[in-house]
Amino acid sequence: MEGLVSSGINSVCVFCCKKHQSLFVPSSTLHLKKRNNIASGIGVEIVKHSSPMVVVAAASSVGGAKVGHFENTIPSKETLDLWRKCSAVCFDVDSTVCLDEGIDELAEFCGAGKAVAEWTARAMGGSVPFEEALAARLKLFNPSLSQVQNFLEQRPPRLSPGIQELVQKLKANHMDVYLISGGFRQMINPVASILGIPKENIFANQLLFGSSGEFLGFDANEPTSRSGGKATAVQQLRKAHGYKALAMIGDGATDLEARRPGGADLFICYAGVQLREAVATKADWLVFNFEDLINSLENLGVHYKKEEHTK
């Protein structure tokens, strides 16, 4: 969904696995189709796990461009110290916690993938308010309750490699974990369940259905249903819980927007699925796999004192 509200942001699809090194891949014509595993521009390796299948991009450069041209892939001491002091961490869901963009997958399942993709391409030409983009895409296929239920049964969420371990590590260090998404609760609830995140820690949109299961729209009262919604959600969390330090992790411009006074202190750009250069260059820390974040917290378990993270 990020591409709808981000003008001029080039992106490529990148997949990584715990066993593989980070990929510092700049924008190019590279494109990976995540469901049918067709790729052009680089080699693709299919790695089978007990968890959902992972597609690994096996390349160090694309189109002759040099790898590692970002200066924020190694965090500053100030950034690392702030990350370790966080008492709450908020995650984007699509293309961050999960490999896929939920609304695109649902549209494809409902037979409107091409139409949604064409609308998305038009929207990429300029800045579009999030609420307008969301309404327009949903109107293209009007998913019924039964379609959403069938989708969830037939296409369980595909988690990004390392996210379960990272969430476990954050919890072990007494950090609260939240999911903040422009996607839909119906599709995010199963993800939260897998990760052990309580439903009250989810900020997301709600699909609305009539008594016969017909699609009615979405709940416009949710902060994430409109532009600037993620920033608003983070500010609400900060105010309600008095967190001394809070981090936002995501791949897109709306995640970056959450870093503002009264909101997130730290923005970590996760580019393990989508690399958006205009966002990545402005991040406090750019990571291509969650193992980097896990490793940065390894020494906290022994010396951690809960009072240091007092809310």
Side-chain angles (χ1 to χ4, degrees), residues 20 25 56 72 117 152 161 211 241:
H20 295 70
V25 186
V56 180
N72 54 350
L152 293 174
S211 58
H241 298 279

Side-chain angles (χ1 to χ4, degrees), residues 57 79 237:
T79 294
L237 280 175

Side-chain angles (χ1 to χ4, degrees), residues 56-115:
V56 180
S60 58
S61 64
V62 179
K66 291 184 178 181
V67 170
H69 65 286
F70 294 99
E71 298 180 354
N72 54 350
T73 55
I74 298 177
S76 65
K77 183 180 184 301
E78 180 182 3
T79 294
L80 190 58
D81 288 345
L82 184 57
W83 162 242
R84 289 172 168 173
K85 292 177 182 177
C86 282
S87 45
V89 179
C90 301
F91 287 91
D92 173 39
V93 176
D94 293 341
S95 296
T96 300
V97 170
C98 293
L99 293 175
D100 302 308
E101 290 286 330
I103 192 171
D104 292 346
E105 293 295 311
L106 179 59
E108 180 187 355
F109 182 82
C110 295
K114 183 178 179 180

Side-chain angles (χ1 to χ4, degrees), residues 146 250 262:
S146 62

Side-chain angles (χ1 to χ4, degrees), residues 225-238:
S225 69
R226 49 190 178 273
S227 296
K230 289 184 181 179
T232 299
V234 171
Q235 288 175 322
Q236 289 177 357
L237 280 175
R238 193 71 179 266

Side-chain angles (χ1 to χ4, degrees), residues 2-9 119-133 227 253-254 257:
E2 189 60 47
L4 293 173
V5 292
S6 306
S7 176
I9 296 180
W119 197 96
T120 300
R122 292 195 299 271
M124 286 289 285
S127 179
V128 179
F130 184 82
E131 56 270 32
E132 180 182 332
S227 296
T254 57
E257 288 174 354

